[in-house]
Amino acid sequence: MIPESEAEGSITMVTIKTISEKCGVSRATVSKALNGHKDISQSTGEYIRSVAREMGYLPNAAARSLKTKRTNNLGVLFVDKTCSGLTHEYFSAVLESFKVEAERLGYDITFISRNIGSASMSYYEHCKYRGCDGVVIASVDFSDEMVIELVKSEIPTVTIDHVFNGRTAILSDNVQGIRDLVEYVYRCGHRRIAYIHGEDTSVTQKRLASFYRTCAELSIEVPNEYVKAALYHDPKSSGLATRELLELSERPTCILYPDDFSFIGGMNEIERHGLHIPEDISVAGYDGIYLSQVLRPRLTTLRQDTGVLGREAAARLVEAIERPKLAIPQQVMVAGHLIPGSSVRKV
């Protein structure tokens, strides 16, 4: 007969009791060591944790939840308008940074939606169903009633690039970002500057206001036809807007795009018109994704610090979960930086 410990599929359960027997200490001491209590010596705690790792001990999530009243699970609500999902390089980089920091702090992540199998539920209901301790919200319709329901609920939330009263928001400095781009283009000698912006969001409103304000401060006149609406992360709509700009009797000498990926549509339209970048027309993007730096000519763009955005979102959300009485809702501004490429000609 094969011993039970060697039988296929058998598992030896490692418990606090078995660890205490192995270490020759009480169960209470093992529990304190595994939970990081300070009333045992550092050497004893390290020894017990080392033995626990060697024995393959894993804490029971259900038991931990009963004790701490937390699941150590963070929800991620991310629904962009073009349905690009995690192929959206900017937000995927933010969420990857969020995930790394969340895991470092001892949390798992779960994506939140309105559907579980054939069942339909609100974002709030899904968070309750999955037992989320808190939720980070990025790239959604922030005016959606279901988003507002979630933000107003008892579940801690942190938003990215949008501000709700009484909630922490992690914000890329879009005002300064557009200012830096316009001033750079101005220093290169351009005075006819067009701007293709994304859909109407708080980010777009800030960028558009900054564009007009910076142009006014530099005494640059902006004709109405030089400002075109498109969608973020959508080359098709940016391509159509580019076509309209190129067909003007006095076309711009430089076009700013809503993001680096959308610029692909503009680049294709410029080529269809038989024009060359930057000899015939200059261009600049936004986000600073990898694609922008492998294009030729290399795209001038404003890189957003996705690493800091994601880490701050995770850290602030965990603080709101673990220290609710001390956590103060804040607007955390994250600066970007200009990457001068070779797509803006000096004139």
Side-chain angles (χ1 to χ4, degrees), residues 30-335:
V30 172
S31 178
K32 289 178 179 180
L34 296 178
N35 286 286
H37 290 195
K38 303 299 184 182
D39 55 348
I40 60 173
S41 70
Q42 182 177 348
S43 60
T44 298
E46 290 176 352
Y47 170 67
I48 293 172
R49 287 189 290 272
S50 174
V51 170
R53 285 194 298 270
E54 291 174 2
M55 296 178 70
Y57 172 76
L58 292 173
N60 184 288
R64 181 181 62 187
S65 178
L66 286 173
K67 181 178 180 181
T68 65
K69 308 301 182 185
R70 297 197 301 267
T71 62
N72 282 54
N73 182 30
L74 303 180
V76 174
L77 179 51
F78 167 61
V79 186
D80 70 299
K81 195 162 187 176
T82 54
C83 299
S84 54
L86 291 180
T87 63
H88 194 305
E89 189 172 339
Y90 166 68
F91 277 110
S92 66
V94 173
L95 295 178
E96 174 62 21
S97 174
F98 175 85
K99 173 179 177 290
V100 169
E101 182 66 7
E103 290 175 345
R104 189 187 73 80
L105 296 171
Y107 286 77
D108 297 319
I109 66 170
T110 296
F111 280 87
I112 301 303
S113 69
R114 290 179 175 174
N115 300 295
I116 302 295
S118 59
S120 179
M121 59 182 69
S122 70
Y123 295 136
Y124 172 73
E125 290 169 337
H126 189 177
C127 289
K128 298 294 286 184
Y129 175 75
R130 291 300 187 191
C132 295
D133 294 326
V135 187
V136 64
I137 306 176
S139 187
V140 298
D141 178 0
F142 287 100
S143 64
D144 186 331
E145 290 182 359
M146 291 191 185
V147 174
I148 294 173
E149 175 194 30
L150 175 58
V151 172
K152 289 184 175 180
S153 74
E154 78 283 1
I155 300 173
T157 59
V158 168
T159 54
I160 293 178
D161 280 338
H162 187 86
V163 178
F164 282 108
N165 287 336
R167 294 293 190 177
T168 289
I170 314 300
L171 307 167
S172 185
D173 195 344
N174 289 284
V175 172
Q176 188 60 47
I178 287 294
R179 173 178 290 278
D180 290 346
L181 272 176
V182 173
E183 289 179 345
Y184 175 80
V185 170
Y186 178 86
R187 290 195 302 271
C188 289
H190 295 271
R191 300 297 182 267
R192 300 203 306 273
I193 305 171
Y195 181 33
I196 300 173
H197 60 79
E199 60 267 24
D200 187 17
T201 65
S202 61
V203 169
T204 299
Q205 292 164 10
K206 290 185 178 73
R207 291 185 185 180
L208 197 53
S210 182
F211 173 75
Y212 279 121
R213 177 177 292 183
T214 306
C215 287
E217 291 172 357
L218 297 173
S219 299
I220 298 174
E221 182 180 353
V222 182
N224 291 335
E225 58 269 25
Y226 273 23
V227 177
K228 300 289 183 182
L231 297 175
Y232 289 113
H233 209 256
D234 182 41
K236 182 178 180 181
S237 61
S238 284
L240 293 173
T242 301
R243 182 185 305 173
E244 294 174 0
L245 291 170
L246 296 180
E247 291 175 351
L248 293 173
S249 56
E250 186 175 40
R251 69 184 183 218
T253 62
C254 183
I255 302 175
L256 308 183
Y257 285 85
D259 56 80
D260 299 340
F261 186 72
S262 294
F263 161 68
I264 298 299
M267 181 181 70
N268 292 336
E269 195 61 40
I270 289 168
E271 290 177 352
R272 288 192 190 98
H273 279 72
L275 302 174
H276 297 87
I277 301 170
E279 293 82 5
D280 301 312
I281 190 163
S282 295
V283 296
Y286 207 99
D287 285 348
I289 63 175
Y290 176 74
L291 173 68
S292 69
Q293 301 309 291
V294 298
L295 291 171
R296 293 296 178 267
R298 191 161 54 90
L299 187 63
T300 296
T301 185
L302 195 292
R303 174 170 290 166
Q304 302 193 77
D305 198 332
T306 54
V308 172
L309 286 164
R311 285 195 300 274
E312 283 289 339
R316 303 293 175 140
L317 185 56
V318 169
E319 181 186 35
I321 293 166
E322 297 184 355
R323 308 174 71 188
K325 293 181 179 179
L326 302 181
I328 300 173
Q330 298 180 57
Q331 295 179 24
V332 181
M333 195 67 70
V334 178

Side-chain angles (χ1 to χ4, degrees), residues 1-8:
M1 178 178 293
I2 301 174
E4 183 180 351
S5 61
E6 297 178 12
E8 183 177 356

